[in-house]
């Protein structure tokens, strides 16, 4: 199987989606009560963090010597 390059920005975006989805499921089941605006706020914060991570990762990859 072909190996895919590691992309930390996708990891952060995926973890954000999992956390928000889990929060909504737990709220719907009545196990965990949280104000809805906190879960909605987590989405843009996670995407912003993912974007910053992607920019930093691209800069690191671009400036890395070709041999490593």
């Amino acid at each position: 199987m072909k190996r895919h390059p590691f992309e930390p920005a996708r990891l952060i975006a995926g973890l954000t989606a999992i956390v928000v989805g889990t929060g909504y499921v737990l709220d719907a089941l009545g196990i965990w009560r949280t104000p809805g605006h906190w879960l909605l706020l987590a989405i843009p914060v996670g995407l912003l963090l993912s974007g910053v991570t992607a920019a930093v990762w691209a800069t690191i990859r671009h400036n890395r010597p070709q041999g490593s």
Side-chain angles (χ1 to χ4, degrees):
M1 178 167 44
K2 182 180 173 187
R3 291 187 56 126
H4 298 281
F6 177 64
E7 296 183 24
R10 285 188 177 188
L11 176 67
I12 292 173
L15 288 175
T16 301
I18 289 171
V19 166
V20 170
T22 303
Y24 275 116
V25 167
L26 292 176
D27 190 31
L29 293 174
I31 297 171
W32 183 53
R33 293 288 178 199
T34 182
H37 64 276
W38 286 109
L39 290 175
L40 288 177
L41 183 63
I43 295 170
V45 169
L47 290 176
L48 177 68
L49 183 60
S50 178
V52 169
T53 304
V56 170
W57 187 253
T59 302
I60 290 171
R61 277 194 358 232
H62 178 71
N63 292 332
R64 184 172 52 187
Q66 294 296 327
S68 44

